[in-house]
Amino acid sequence: MDAPRPAEPGRPSADRPGERGERRETERRDLDLLVWDAPNIDMTLSAILGSRPASSDRPRFDAIARWFLAEAADHEVEGCVFTNVHPTSAVSLRGWIEALRNFGYAVFARPKVHPEDDVDDAMLQHIASRQASHRLRRVVVASGDGRNFLGPLEELHRAGVRVVVLSFAEVAGYAQESALIEFVDLEDVPGAFQVSLGRTRLTALPPDGGWFRPTRPMRALLEDGPPLEHPHHPPPATEPAREPAREPAREPAREAEPPRTAADAASGSTEDPPGRAAPGVGEVGRVPAGPSPRARTG
């Protein structure tokens, strides 16, 4: 497959040193750059859905490209997808990579042999190389990985580059909390998803309200066994806690100890009562998405 090629260095000329530097600066073209962290977006999507995403749950890269181009004006544009390739998935990924290339994306693929074989460094290196070869106007980074991207992206902003993080609000807190980075939720990109992901987004409710479907049937509670005693209810008055009868000890009078709380009495100790953990959230019921809201920046 064709790998993204770095910009070729300028050819030497016989110009005076000052003129050469000025000419090279004017020859640098304006560029809007999109870099997509495929492993991170896929992992985040799986966590949101509670299961491996189906094809209909995955973002449409043609819609992402159209959204990206809408604000590119007449600048040069480049979209790059960075991915890992496990030895067992090389064959199945071929069609996906070819589809991306057909949409105009360059694809950087790295073998995933060891756990540390990530693509974050390659993404940052590519951004730096484009910053050296072009005048970066806008950089869109599709990743929720603030540990690796927060510092470099804020430095880009200080250098005069408009920086946008494209991810999910559940994981991209670093971008939403930064005063230097714009944030766009992936589900706000028009046409990016064929169906609603069923997320609990209380900050994006429609004016007339909206429904959140249950994550599992109510009858599933019958399979959880007997209900647990509520830890904050006092014990029934007809069944007071009793201790074995014993001869009262003759001790000097002393102040009574403070009574235990109702919660302590119910559990039998000062610690939380044992019991089953809350049931895990299953796959969220999803419905066809309506008209997508306009992408927001924050």
Side-chain angles (χ1 to χ4, degrees), residues 206-247:
D208 295 331
W211 287 94
F212 294 102
R213 293 192 171 191
T215 56
R216 64 175 190 159
M218 185 180 293
R219 289 190 175 277
L221 295 173
L222 300 177
E223 303 174 1
D224 292 342
L228 298 177
E229 183 180 0
H230 197 287
H232 298 294
H233 286 177
T238 56
E239 296 180 9
R242 297 178 179 178
E243 295 183 359
R246 59 184 178 180
E247 184 71 20

Side-chain angles (χ1 to χ4, degrees), residues 112-285:
K112 185 72 171 180
V113 180
H114 304 289
E116 63 273 13
D117 291 338
D118 293 323
V119 295
D120 300 334
D121 290 343
M123 294 174 65
L124 292 171
Q125 291 171 7
H126 188 70
I127 293 173
S129 69
R130 288 297 179 256
Q131 187 178 20
S133 62
H134 293 73
R135 285 193 301 270
L136 285 179
R137 298 300 186 185
R138 177 175 55 138
V139 173
V140 178
V141 174
S143 178
D145 187 354
R147 179 184 59 181
N148 289 318
F149 290 106
L150 176 59
L153 293 185
E154 289 189 333
E155 286 300 318
L156 277 177
H157 172 87
R158 296 186 182 99
V161 181
R162 179 186 172 194
V163 179
V164 181
V165 165
L166 185 63
S167 183
F168 296 101
E170 290 89 335
V171 298
Y174 78 97
Q176 299 170 76
E177 296 168 2
S178 173
L180 309 181
I181 299 175
E182 299 177 32
F183 172 74
V184 176
D185 194 285
L186 257 171
E187 204 169 1
D188 287 339
V189 175
F193 293 91
Q194 300 178 43
V195 296
S196 170
L197 298 180
R199 299 155 62 197
T200 308
R201 298 181 62 193
L202 300 180
T203 58
L205 292 172
D208 295 331
W211 287 94
F212 294 102
R213 293 192 171 191
T215 56
R216 64 175 190 159
M218 185 180 293
R219 289 190 175 277
L221 295 173
L222 300 177
E223 303 174 1
D224 292 342
L228 298 177
E229 183 180 0
H230 197 287
H232 298 294
H233 286 177
T238 56
E239 296 180 9
R242 297 178 179 178
E243 295 183 359
R246 59 184 178 180
E247 184 71 20
R250 298 181 179 274
E251 296 180 355
R254 60 181 179 180
E255 295 183 1
E257 296 182 359
R260 302 171 66 194
T261 64
D264 294 339
S267 64
S269 70
T270 57
E271 301 177 352
D272 292 335
R276 297 183 54 181
V281 177
E283 183 174 358
V284 178

Side-chain angles (χ1 to χ4, degrees), residues 101-112:
R101 298 175 68 192
N102 190 49
F103 289 146
Y105 293 90
V107 180
F108 176 88
R110 181 178 184 180
K112 185 72 171 180

Side-chain angles (χ1 to χ4, degrees), residues 13-168:
S13 65
D15 297 332
R16 294 195 306 264
E19 292 181 351
R20 178 182 176 185
E22 294 174 0
R23 179 170 298 181
R24 290 185 62 184
E25 178 64 26
T26 58
E27 290 175 352
R28 296 170 66 198
R29 298 184 298 275
D30 294 341
L31 175 66
D32 279 24
L33 176 65
L34 166 66
V35 290
W36 184 282
D37 186 349
N40 180 271
I41 295 296
D42 192 68
M43 178 182 63
T44 302
L45 188 56
S46 297
I48 289 174
L49 298 176
S51 61
R52 183 174 180 82
S55 58
S56 60
D57 298 324
R58 297 184 182 278
R60 296 179 57 91
F61 282 88
D62 55 341
I64 300 295
R66 292 188 182 95
W67 168 83
F68 176 63
L69 292 169
E71 296 188 31
D74 57 350
H75 302 164
E76 184 176 338
V77 296
E78 181 183 31
C80 306
V81 176
F82 292 75
T83 188
N84 284 123
V85 179
H86 292 267
T88 58
S89 62
V91 175
S92 60
L93 282 178
R94 184 183 300 276
W96 176 70
I97 290 176
E98 292 304 316
L100 290 174
R101 298 175 68 192
N102 190 49
F103 289 146
Y105 293 90
V107 180
F108 176 88
R110 181 178 184 180
K112 185 72 171 180
V113 180
H114 304 289
E116 63 273 13
D117 291 338
D118 293 323
V119 295
D120 300 334
D121 290 343
M123 294 174 65
L124 292 171
Q125 291 171 7
H126 188 70
I127 293 173
S129 69
R130 288 297 179 256
Q131 187 178 20
S133 62
H134 293 73
R135 285 193 301 270
L136 285 179
R137 298 300 186 185
R138 177 175 55 138
V139 173
V140 178
V141 174
S143 178
D145 187 354
R147 179 184 59 181
N148 289 318
F149 290 106
L150 176 59
L153 293 185
E154 289 189 333
E155 286 300 318
L156 277 177
H157 172 87
R158 296 186 182 99
V161 181
R162 179 186 172 194
V163 179
V164 181
V165 165
L166 185 63
S167 183
F168 296 101

